[in-house]
Amino acid sequence: MAGEPHLEVEGLSKSFGALRVTDNISIAVPRGELHAVIGPNGAGKTTLIHQLSGQLKSDFGRIRLEGADITRLQMPERVRRGLARSFQITSILDGFSVLENVALAVQARSGSSFRFFARAASEAALNAEAMEALARVNLIDRAHRTAANLSHGEKRQLEIAIALATGAELLLLDEPLAGTSHEESAALVALMQELKASHTIILVEHDMEAVFALADRVSVLVYGRIIASGTPAEVRDDPAVRAAYLGEEEAA
Amino acid sequence: MTLAASDTKDDAAEPAIENRRGFGIVSREGAAVAATILFAALALLPLLASAIDDPFLIVTATRIMVFALAALALDLVLGFGAMVSFGHAAFLGIGAYSVAILSSHGVEDILVQTLVALGTASLFALITGAISLRTSGVYFIMITLAFGQMAYFFMISLSAYGGDDGMTLWNRSTVLGSDVLESDLVLFYVVLAALVLAFFALRAVVGSRFGRVLRGTRDNATRMRAIGFSPYSYQLTAYVMSGAIAALAGVFLANQTEFVSPAYMNWQRSGELIVMVVIGGMGTLVGPIAGAIALLLAEEWLANLWEHYKLVLGVLIVCLALFTRGGIAGAARRLFRGGRHGG
């Protein structure tokens, strides 16, 4: 296991019609690393997350999770193997309680769900594990709220709690800070800082301050290609990156 | 973890809010109370019938409960699974024909007939569901409609069993050799018992692990896949369960009318079942029962008043759909919200 990356991507590509959205992407992410993927709008970041999570089928390339080829596996199977994602646009069960949103993720990996009579919402073991995940994202006091009634920032925290509750060791976080206020975003950055200790993370994010504070390595995606990959310092100093991306940020 | 959230008596957990598509907007306790009142009222109905000396009331009520049972079955897939099946009358027909065909061959015991009905309906649901569930949305509606019509035209062309003319039952099913079902009153209570049993069984199913996966998939299938569920097998199981329960309603329908024809299976009948579920309140269990009662009573009364009653009925349904979000169950909840809500 020593030298084997947690996630290894080789030559991954996806086209929609004539448009190559991701183009021959290769990344290796060692266990415990937080690997940020940045790039301007339309660079293909979310498509890459879709491909890695299994929501979208790739045209070419391979994805290996702990050495095992998962390229052909569907999203639910990848989750069961320990690769979970969060969504850029919040995707939760609005009509369910916060607790049940998380408990369902626990249920998915805790025995059969072809059980027809006992009341699922009263299963103490599921709820206890769900509460642990909620504790990690500081949502304990919201557990019995209806998910739709959470604030935007809380919904982003819930997204992460659900991903944690799947038991996955590798998290794909798709713009967890999208649309959050300054305080909300600070709380989420602190949360991700904590998660780094226990999880391998691939983070897609627009917030450069957060990225450079959190990332062990950064890959820069422009028009579906990785134009630079390295430590935050290396990437920051890369002339191609400055020209393609950071330049405009700094000018702004 | 000491704060282990085992205080799940807190039924905020249940979807007591009005979510976007208006599914399941009635709280668990509210629904149970409403259903219990409804069942008690039905149980006392024969007293009223004898008091006002109107035995036909029992016959009408039996017929309404049969359709309530079928609507309840449909609600499992429509209201809790967001699978709009437009062919559920086929299951009703399979149940009814199981009685008629077996009876014509001398097999009159209702237990045997019911077993055959449930088996046949489950098999039909398994095959058609396995194919239909490869699609979703409008395509699912169309394909279930197509399967329903196939069953309908199959029975029309099956001249050995009456074809277009249908079949008359010479007597009702027997129960272990006894002909107790010949009594309208006994049949009434048997159907009521089945309805009550189905209601509480489905209530448990909907709240179970299985039901939670089904409801989660209804609300957000992508989310369910992203936590590791493959919805297909859950949806298919629900579809088979629903088909079997609808077939049970068919068994009672044949016994109530003592006549079976392909007309039970055509798409208008499937549409009526959908209307019952929707105007009653989909995803509430008590809703479809209320919907069946409302629709069939309205039909009964309006038909006496004016021969073009369907026109009025249509307007009524449009108004219900427009002005009562969540159907009758939703309207009732809003009515009682002041006293009981948020408790």
Side-chain angles (χ1 to χ4, degrees):
Chain A
M1 285 293 294
E4 194 151 70
H6 197 166
L7 186 79
E8 192 177 15
V9 178
E10 245 180 67
L12 209 61
S13 298
K14 177 78 193 175
S15 302
F16 294 117
L19 182 67
R20 270 217 151 175
V21 186
T22 54
D23 191 357
N24 199 20
I25 291 180
S26 299
I27 318 175
V29 183
R31 186 170 277 278
E33 182 177 282
L34 190 150
H35 193 117
V37 178
I38 62 173
N41 285 324
K45 303 186 295 293
T46 290
T47 302
L48 177 62
I49 293 285
H50 283 339
Q51 287 175 274
L52 295 181
S53 67
Q55 198 176 342
L56 260 184
K57 235 163 111 180
S58 300
D59 298 338
F60 302 103
R62 301 226 150 281
I63 307 169
R64 286 195 194 83
L65 186 67
E66 295 178 298
D69 192 331
I70 59 163
T71 316
R72 305 179 75 89
L73 297 187
Q74 303 251 322
M75 182 152 69
E77 294 158 34
R78 292 187 197 190
V79 178
R80 278 177 240 143
R81 291 200 181 201
L83 186 161
R85 65 166 297 175
S86 74
F87 291 85
Q88 181 186 356
I89 297 164
T90 303
S91 178
I92 55 179
L93 303 171
D94 276 334
F96 286 62
S97 74
V98 169
L99 178 64
E100 277 207 283
N101 264 280
V102 184
L104 257 169
V106 180
Q107 181 185 324
R109 61 177 163 83
S110 315
S112 169
S113 281
F114 281 99
R115 295 187 196 164
F116 297 91
F117 289 103
R119 195 158 144 66
S122 311
E123 279 194 49
L126 299 185
N127 290 340
E129 275 198 68
M131 280 309 236
E132 277 176 48
L134 285 174
R136 289 195 75 171
V137 305
N138 280 321
L139 274 183
I140 287 279
D141 53 336
R142 296 285 185 267
H144 297 289
R145 286 270 187 97
T146 303
N149 297 337
L150 294 182
S151 73
H152 178 76
E154 288 168 340
K155 286 182 183 170
R156 303 309 290 169
Q157 286 164 279
L158 177 56
E159 276 270 344
I160 295 178
I162 294 170
L164 287 175
T166 63
E169 294 178 318
L170 195 153
L171 304 177
L172 307 170
L173 304 181
D174 193 359
E175 295 199 35
L177 305 181
T180 55
S181 73
H182 201 70
E183 296 83 54
E184 289 171 339
S185 133
L188 283 163
V189 169
L191 168 60
M192 284 188 272
Q193 198 80 56
E194 267 178 54
L195 292 182
K196 278 182 68 173
S198 49
H199 290 77
T200 308
I201 299 175
I202 295 179
L203 171 68
V204 165
E205 190 45 67
H206 270 301
D207 184 329
M208 286 306 124
E209 207 182 312
V211 165
F212 285 104
L214 289 167
D216 299 309
R217 293 177 73 80
V218 179
S219 290
V220 183
L221 204 59
V222 177
Y223 294 123
R225 288 169 176 271
I226 291 183
I227 61 163
S229 193
T231 64
E234 287 166 8
V235 166
R236 205 197 300 262
D237 294 336
D238 189 302
V241 175
R242 295 188 82 91
Y245 187 61
L246 291 176
E248 31 183 300
E249 286 273 314
E250 275 166 17
Chain B
M1 180 125 299
T2 46
L3 17 72
S6 37
D7 58 328
T8 41
K9 299 177 287 311
D10 178 355
D11 269 293
E14 212 57 31
I17 63 135
E18 307 190 14
N19 62 29
R20 280 174 316 226
R21 286 180 279 174
F23 287 115
I25 59 164
V26 175
S27 74
R28 257 180 90 79
E29 307 92 330
V33 169
T36 307
I37 294 171
L38 200 63
F39 293 144
L42 282 169
L44 296 175
L45 195 71
L47 290 179
L48 177 69
S50 67
I52 61 170
D53 197 24
D54 183 2
F56 196 67
L57 193 59
I58 291 177
V59 176
T60 307
T62 305
R63 180 179 164 76
I64 288 176
M65 291 192 299
V66 165
F67 280 101
L69 183 60
L72 201 56
L74 177 61
D75 193 31
L76 180 66
V77 291
L78 176 60
F80 293 95
M83 294 173 262
V84 184
S85 166
F86 207 159
H88 250 53
F91 298 112
L92 203 61
I94 287 171
Y97 270 106
S98 296
V99 172
I101 292 174
L102 284 174
S103 174
S104 76
H105 292 289
V107 183
E108 299 196 319
D109 193 275
I110 194 166
L111 298 176
V112 178
Q113 291 171 341
T114 302
L115 279 178
V116 170
L118 298 190
T120 312
S122 300
L123 190 66
F124 185 73
L126 189 67
I127 294 167
T128 61
I131 298 166
S132 308
L133 283 168
R134 305 258 164 221
T135 67
S136 62
V138 175
Y139 299 98
F140 182 81
I141 300 176
M142 295 310 291
I143 199 164
T144 50
L145 171 64
F147 280 125
Q149 289 300 92
M150 276 168 59
Y152 168 63
F153 285 113
F154 178 76
M155 288 323 296
I156 280 191
S157 59
L158 202 64
S159 52
Y161 296 108
D164 209 3
D165 298 330
M167 300 170 77
T168 300
L169 261 70
W170 296 114
N171 38 36
R172 286 185 179 163
S173 306
T174 56
V175 186
L176 304 171
S178 144
D179 61 356
V180 285
L181 291 181
E182 292 297 338
S183 152
D184 284 340
L185 190 64
V186 172
L187 185 64
F188 171 87
Y189 277 114
V190 168
V191 175
L192 176 60
L195 183 64
V196 172
L197 203 70
F199 175 84
F200 285 103
L202 283 177
R203 185 176 147 85
V205 166
V206 163
S208 71
R209 278 188 171 212
F210 172 81
R212 185 152 80 169
V213 176
L214 197 62
R215 287 181 286 130
T217 304
R218 164 193 77 192
D219 289 354
N220 188 340
T222 306
R223 170 36 82 197
M224 296 303 282
R225 290 169 53 78
I227 57 176
F229 286 111
S230 307
Y232 183 80
S233 50
Y234 299 95
Q235 292 177 312
L236 184 56
T237 305
Y239 193 74
V240 171
M241 288 167 69
S242 172
I245 297 171
L248 180 64
V251 169
F252 293 132
L253 185 63
N255 273 290
Q256 192 262 315
T257 56
E258 299 178 58
F259 172 74
V260 174
S261 92
Y264 292 169
M265 307 173 89
N266 68 16
W267 66 274
Q268 286 99 326
R269 193 57 85 186
S270 297
E272 275 174 28
L273 290 176
I274 294 177
V275 169
M276 288 172 191
V277 174
V278 174
I279 66 171
M282 46 186 171
T284 65
L285 291 183
V286 71
I289 301 175
I293 295 173
L295 185 73
L296 294 177
L297 278 186
E299 240 177 26
E300 193 94 7
W301 281 331
L302 290 172
N304 288 335
L305 294 177
W306 191 28
E307 57 180 317
H308 304 296
Y309 72 97
K310 293 226 158 162
L311 203 64
V312 183
L313 196 63
V315 174
L316 276 180
I317 291 171
V318 169
C319 289
L320 268 173
L322 279 179
F323 301 118
T324 67
R325 260 186 65 205
I328 297 168
R333 173 179 161 268
R334 275 191 293 278
L335 207 60
F336 293 113
R337 175 154 53 185
R340 302 181 17 85
H341 186 60

